[in-house]
Every structure is written in C-alpha cells, then in structure tokens.
Amino acid sequence: MSAQETARTRWRPEPIVERAERAPERVRIYEVAPRDGLQAEAAIVPTRTKIELCHRIAAAGLRDIEVTSFVPPSWIPQMTDAADVLPALGDLDGVRTVALVPNLRGLERALAAGARHVAVVVSATESFARANLNAGRQAALDTATTVAGAARGHGLGVRGYVSMAFGDPWEGPVDRGVVAGLAATLYEAGCSTVALGDTIGVATPGHIRATVRDAVGRGVAADAVALHLHDTYGQALANVVAGLDAGVREFDSSAGGLGRCPYARGATGNLATEDLVWLLHGMGIATGVDLDALVGVSRWIAAQMGRADLPSRVATALLAASTGQ
Ligand code: MG
C-alpha cells in the first residue's frame, strides 16, 4: 500500500463522545486570544489583522470574545488601537464582544467606541495590584466597582476578573477568603460573571473546587463564576473538570493557546481553546465551536505572527494529522 493510500484510510481524529455523569448540556467558552493572547505576545499585530482574527474566531462558532483593552497605551503598547478595533466588529451579530477597561477613562473611551460589554479587573494580591494595576489592592477594587457601576448605568454588560486568585509569583499561595470576598464584591457591583484567574497556572483540582465553593458561599451564583485557567504547569484541563463539578459554566481560553505566561519566561500561558473544546465535546458538552475551523484560525494567526508552532496540543495534533506527519 502506498503512503498516500495509508493516509486516506487513516482515522481523522475527533473526540470520542462519552457523556459524563452530571455534565451540563452546554458550556460557554470565553475566547481571549485577541486581547489576552496578543497582549502577552511580543509581536505587535496590525489592527486589520486583529479585526480579521475576531471575525474568523466568530465564524468558527465562538460567541463570547474579549476583543481589546482600553488601557493607557503607555501600559500596553499592543492595545493602542482599541478605539479602531472595537467599532470594526459591530457587524458580528449574536456575538458578545467585550472590551477590558481598567479605569473610568478607559470606560469613557470604550463607550465612545460603541462598547456594549466591558470587563473590569481586580487583584487578589497586593503585589500584583501594584505591579499590574498601578494601584493598591483596595484602590483597584474601588476603581473596579466604580467602573462597573458606571458601566451598568450606561446599560452595558459587565464581567469581573479576580487576578492571581490561586497563587502569586511574589506572595505564594493566595488566601481563599480574600478571593471569595473580592468575587462577591464584584458580583454585588453588577458583574454578571466573575472570572477567577489562575494567572500563573499553579492551581490543582481540589484548590479549584474549594475556591469556587467559597465564592458561592459568599453569595456568588455558581453559574456566575467563570475560570480563567493557565496551563503553565499542565493543570488547566484537570481544573476545568473540577470547575464543571463545582457548577462553573463559563471557561476562558485562547485560540491556539496564544499568550505566553508573563511570569515564567518561555512557559505556556492561556489554556488553548482547541484543547478545551476537545475535552468538552468528548464529555458530550456542546460549545457551538467548529474545531477544525478553529484550528484553521489558529494556524492563520500564527502565520501572521511569524510563529512556527502553537502551544495547543490539539491544534498541533490535528495539523499533523491533516498533513500526514
Ligand atoms: Mg490569561
């Protein structure tokens, strides 16, 4: 048999569905590649490419996309074009396009650009607040709740982030009570979803379950908790399963796994959307995502960025399978 015939008869891999007990029918994937993914990459991607990336991601079936950040350009040069990216996405019907806003000035810029959904950020640790939010932890919380209230007043949807919710590169293990309290405060301030961020990827499943349980214990609805997981230590998918068990119904991920860990040079950061989709579809959980189309999107953006490889295991495996390697 020739090599060509072997390739033709080979199984085209796809998740083998075995419905997990107590699994939900559907889970929402919150795609972060255009903002969190590109922000953590060294390359500055042209505005038109960012816009095309959002359109391609939506065409692959993702309905919740964090598209940009209205941070001061001096903080994050990759996001200088937020006011050009967001208005160019107005034709994405049925897609929740979310813009990150770090302060009231950012909210004003987002409103001027036509934002309908924004995200606010707090830190569970003092060190990260000072390093990344340019404020103390309490001041950052005050800013976030003020921005959330103002955004709600303008009729916008608001998502909250608690960064460094599990471990911190300077302070080590993070107090779960602090995380639960911050999540409850953001929820009460009008955030429809609060994403707990494992920013350095150190959490393990028991830690995830306990932290979600604590947030729920402080009054946050379980289905209002999201998880923003990083795969730095290879724990992200195990942590997704733990989150599902705890009632979480929204997970953040990045197409292709774009976005390196900013605190571990060269290490993997964001959980890859393809890896998450493979897991969920295998568990019989609907996501609306066309996996092959998404792999195509990831391959395209990697080429635009001059990257030869992708952190996503599933994207890498499917690309290899499609080329017979
Ligand atoms: Mg991230």
Side-chain angles (χ1 to χ4, degrees), residues 35 42 45 49 51 62 110 115 156 181 187 265 289 298 322:
R35 200 282 299 171
V45 173
T49 306
I51 293 165
L62 288 145
L156 304 187
Y187 188 59
R265 191 179 289 271
V289 176
S298 297
S322 68

Side-chain angles (χ1 to χ4, degrees), residues 151-210:
R152 296 289 298 137
H154 282 94
L156 304 187
V158 186
R159 187 179 207 256
Y161 277 108
V162 181
S163 292
M164 293 297 175
F166 299 90
D168 177 281
W170 300 280
E171 300 181 20
V174 175
D175 186 317
R176 294 208 315 267
V178 169
V179 175
L182 289 168
T185 303
L186 288 176
Y187 188 59
E188 288 159 13
C191 294
S192 57
T193 311
V194 180
L196 307 178
D198 186 13
T199 313
I200 56 172
V202 294
T204 47
H207 192 180
I208 294 284
R209 281 192 200 89

Side-chain angles (χ1 to χ4, degrees), residues 136-304:
R137 189 174 71 189
Q138 184 60 47
L141 179 61
D142 293 345
T143 296
T145 56
T146 300
V147 171
R152 296 289 298 137
H154 282 94
L156 304 187
V158 186
R159 187 179 207 256
Y161 277 108
V162 181
S163 292
M164 293 297 175
F166 299 90
D168 177 281
W170 300 280
E171 300 181 20
V174 175
D175 186 317
R176 294 208 315 267
V178 169
V179 175
L182 289 168
T185 303
L186 288 176
Y187 188 59
E188 288 159 13
C191 294
S192 57
T193 311
V194 180
L196 307 178
D198 186 13
T199 313
I200 56 172
V202 294
T204 47
H207 192 180
I208 294 284
R209 281 192 200 89
T211 304
V212 173
R213 194 185 308 133
D214 286 355
V216 171
R218 291 289 297 267
V220 184
D223 62 3
V225 177
L227 287 170
H228 182 106
L229 300 168
H230 282 191
D231 206 30
T232 320
Y233 291 85
Q235 307 300 301
L237 288 177
N239 290 339
V240 168
V241 175
L244 287 169
D245 288 346
V248 175
R249 298 294 179 259
E250 180 169 306
F251 295 89
D252 299 10
S253 62
S254 178
L258 281 184
R260 300 170 201 272
C261 181
Y263 305 98
R265 191 179 289 271
T268 300
N270 290 312
L271 167 62
T273 306
E274 289 90 341
D275 299 8
L276 176 61
V277 167
W278 187 282
L279 172 80
L280 294 173
H281 287 185
M283 293 174 77
I285 301 170
T287 67
V289 176
D290 178 332
L291 188 54
D292 286 325
L294 183 63
V295 170
V297 175
S298 297
R299 185 169 64 168
W300 170 81
I301 188 64
Q304 299 297 311

